[in-house]
Amino acid sequence: VSRAIALAPIVGILVALWRAEKEQQKQQQLGSTSSSASPSSSFLPSLVSGCGRKLLQDELAYMLTIDWGKAGLEGPTLEEEWADFRQLCKEAEELTSAMEAAEGAAALPEPPDEFVDPITASIMSDPVTLPDSQVTVDRSTVERHLLSQATDPFSRKPLTIAMVVPNTALAARIQRWKATGGKEDVGAA
């Protein structure tokens, strides 16, 4: 199976969601009599903030390089969908740039290593310790992992979400560090 054939449904879903949002915005603008009403936009911001921004940009850029015609995917509908996908990618890139610029002013300094999830490389919000490997990761990370494998991602021994141990002391330190803009001493409490 070629990559184009495997990725075509994903591109189709992204384009369908993007088109639905554009249509909803258009309907809201047409139906709006108040100048203060603004269309609600949720698909692209959710896509951009829900995925790692760099990962999303890399994946979209990769999908733009695929020769869909060589995979036997062609025709007028595909050309229209491809044009919409290129526009979606452009809008996602613009939104990513705007979000990064807005966050740049309020960015936290580099966090201590113990605050960073070893799998996602992001600051943890709900740290939990895995019982077998004793590694601390964010709860959302281990929950995602458990959707595909019921094992500790480090030791590969059986694991359920009920087995993880909340690391409340670390969570409190992370919250304190965030609240002070990364200025408070984060040594062990």
Side-chain angles (χ1 to χ4, degrees), residues 4 6 29 38 40 43-44 63 76 78 85 110-111 126 128 140 150 160 163 165 173 177:
Q29 287 174 343
S38 63
S40 65
F43 171 66
L44 273 179
M63 287 186 210
L78 181 67
F85 183 66
E110 189 71 25
D126 186 8
V128 294
S140 63
T160 65
M163 296 165 67
V165 179
R173 290 178 53 219
W177 182 80

Side-chain angles (χ1 to χ4, degrees), residues 50-95:
C51 299
R53 290 184 196 142
K54 175 73 174 129
L55 175 64
L56 174 66
Q57 289 304 313
D58 290 348
E59 292 301 319
L60 292 178
Y62 172 75
M63 287 186 210
L64 285 170
T65 66
I66 293 173
D67 184 349
W68 299 95
K70 282 186 179 177
L73 304 171
E74 48 193 325
T77 304
L78 181 67
E79 289 303 317
E80 204 173 288
E81 190 163 308
W82 191 238
D84 283 351
F85 183 66
R86 284 192 299 271
Q87 182 62 32
L88 179 156
C89 291
K90 179 182 174 196
E91 289 180 19
E93 185 175 350
E94 290 169 357
L95 182 59

Side-chain angles (χ1 to χ4, degrees), residues 107-125:
L108 292 170
E110 189 71 25
D113 289 342
E114 65 189 301
F115 291 3
V116 178
D117 184 300
I119 295 174
T120 65
S122 60
I123 299 172
M124 294 182 278
S125 58

Side-chain angles (χ1 to χ4, degrees), residues 15-70:
V15 169
L17 291 169
W18 179 78
R19 284 177 177 167
E21 181 174 87
K22 292 294 179 190
E23 183 61 30
Q24 180 185 20
Q25 290 173 351
K26 184 178 174 183
Q27 294 301 320
Q28 287 177 347
Q29 287 174 343
L30 292 174
S32 174
T33 56
S34 166
S35 61
S36 65
S38 63
S40 65
S41 179
S42 61
F43 171 66
L44 273 179
S46 295
L47 180 66
V48 168
S49 63
C51 299
R53 290 184 196 142
K54 175 73 174 129
L55 175 64
L56 174 66
Q57 289 304 313
D58 290 348
E59 292 301 319
L60 292 178
Y62 172 75
M63 287 186 210
L64 285 170
T65 66
I66 293 173
D67 184 349
W68 299 95
K70 282 186 179 177

